[in-house]
């Protein structure tokens, strides 16, 4: 279990255009424990390299845990109740749910924990998370491994953006007016963390879908 009491130096969140970033929310031991839980997720639901509806390979590799997983392929962006291989998604680990309860909501659990693996030149273009049925719930985003340059804009494309390097253990919350903020990852800093075997960065995004 991870909660405030176990984190010594977590201060107030940094406000990035309404997105709140809790820097250092997870200490090293908590990060390692979460990573061990994620190994079981990936063993049950292997990472895949997704394709956009337009046919472009995404640079991240992706899987999910929870009742629903977010997927993309030629047929579109959507939530699905199974991994592309046909297996049901594994449950969201308790270590991850604890972060949701503390910073997202204690009124219900998320439907989806999307797992994105960034290696090398992987990035994520500016986008909104808008495939969910109810935007009243926040999106909680956990960073593990290499540093990542996070960019946040407004709720309309073309609005001014601000950037911040996310580090291992940071948790960003997109809620309230920032729930539909455009956001993306410009690049990671390969080799900046030794948390992941083989390097890279894992991002977890927790969402209520329905
Ligand atoms: C995402 O928006 O899906 C990922 C954000 C991140 O990797 O921090
Ligand atoms: Fe997103």
């Amino acid at each position: 279990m991870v909660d405030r009491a176990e984190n010594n130096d977590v201060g107030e969140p940094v406000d990035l255009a309404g997105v709140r970033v809790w820097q250092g929310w997870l200490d090293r031991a908590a990060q390692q424990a979460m990573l061990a839980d994620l190994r079981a997720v990936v063993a049950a639901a292997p990472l895949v390299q997704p394709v956009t509806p337009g046919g472009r390979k995404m640079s991240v590799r992706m899987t999910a845990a929870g009742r629903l997983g977010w997927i993309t392929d030629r047929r579109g962006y959507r939530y699905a109740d199974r991994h592309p291989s046909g297996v049901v998604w594994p449950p969201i680990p308790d270590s991850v749910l604890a972060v949701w309860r503390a910073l997202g909501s204690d009124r219900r659990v998320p439907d989806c924990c999307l797992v994105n693996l960034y290696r090398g030149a992987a990035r994520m273009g500016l986008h909104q998370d808008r495939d969910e049925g109810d935007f009243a719930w926040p999106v909680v985003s956990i960073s593990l491994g290499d540093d990542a340059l996070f960019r946040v804009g407004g709720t309309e494309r073309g609005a001014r953006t601000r950037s911040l390097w996310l580090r291992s253990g940071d948790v960003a919350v997109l809620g309230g007016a920032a729930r539909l903020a455009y956001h993306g990852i410009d690049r990671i800093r390969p080799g900046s963390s030794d948390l992941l075997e083989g390097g890279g960065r894992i991002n977890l995004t927790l969402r209520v879908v329905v």
Side-chain angles (χ1 to χ4, degrees):
M1 275 278 281
V2 176
D3 59 39
R4 281 302 298 268
E6 290 175 25
N7 290 279
N8 298 327
D9 296 318
V10 179
E12 290 300 303
V14 174
D15 186 310
L16 190 68
V19 173
R20 302 204 303 164
V21 181
W22 300 87
Q23 296 180 307
W25 181 264
L26 300 172
D27 64 17
R28 176 83 180 188
Q31 294 168 38
Q32 285 167 330
M34 192 176 285
L35 201 58
D37 292 340
L38 292 173
R39 281 195 198 99
V41 167
V42 170
L47 290 157
V48 298
Q49 186 172 34
V51 175
T52 66
R56 290 178 49 169
K57 272 189 186 160
M58 290 185 73
S59 56
V60 295
R61 289 198 292 147
M62 199 174 274
T63 189
R67 216 161 58 74
L68 295 168
W70 186 87
I71 63 169
T72 171
D73 59 22
R74 283 290 197 167
R75 289 166 48 211
Y77 299 128
R78 62 194 181 278
Y79 282 94
D81 61 4
R82 273 155 209 273
H83 184 272
S85 69
V87 299
V88 294
W89 304 105
I92 302 174
D94 285 341
S95 57
V96 177
L97 289 176
V99 176
W100 169 270
R101 274 197 298 276
L103 296 180
S105 172
D106 58 8
R107 288 187 293 135
R108 62 162 289 180
V109 295
D111 299 302
C112 176
C113 172
L114 184 67
V115 180
N116 285 317
L117 174 67
Y118 296 74
R119 281 206 168 123
R123 57 189 300 281
M124 177 84 64
L126 219 54
H127 66 278
Q128 292 173 297
D129 286 11
R130 55 174 317 142
D131 297 324
E132 301 73 36
D134 185 351
F135 301 133
W137 302 92
V139 172
V140 172
S141 165
I142 304 172
S143 292
L144 297 170
D146 284 339
D147 301 349
L149 188 54
F150 182 49
R151 183 186 291 272
V152 178
T155 52
E156 266 150 61
R157 198 177 270 288
R160 173 175 173 205
T161 63
R162 287 156 211 269
S163 298
L164 176 77
W165 282 96
L166 294 177
R167 305 196 62 197
S168 196
D170 291 357
V171 180
V173 179
L174 287 77
R179 170 62 181 78
L180 287 171
Y182 276 88
H183 60 281
I185 296 293
D186 289 351
R187 62 180 186 277
I188 67 163
R189 208 148 43 191
S192 49
S193 164
D194 63 1
L195 186 74
L196 273 64
E197 243 172 77
R201 168 177 187 260
I202 287 177
N203 172 258
L204 305 176
T205 3
L206 298 163
R207 305 190 191 115
V208 167
V209 178
V210 284

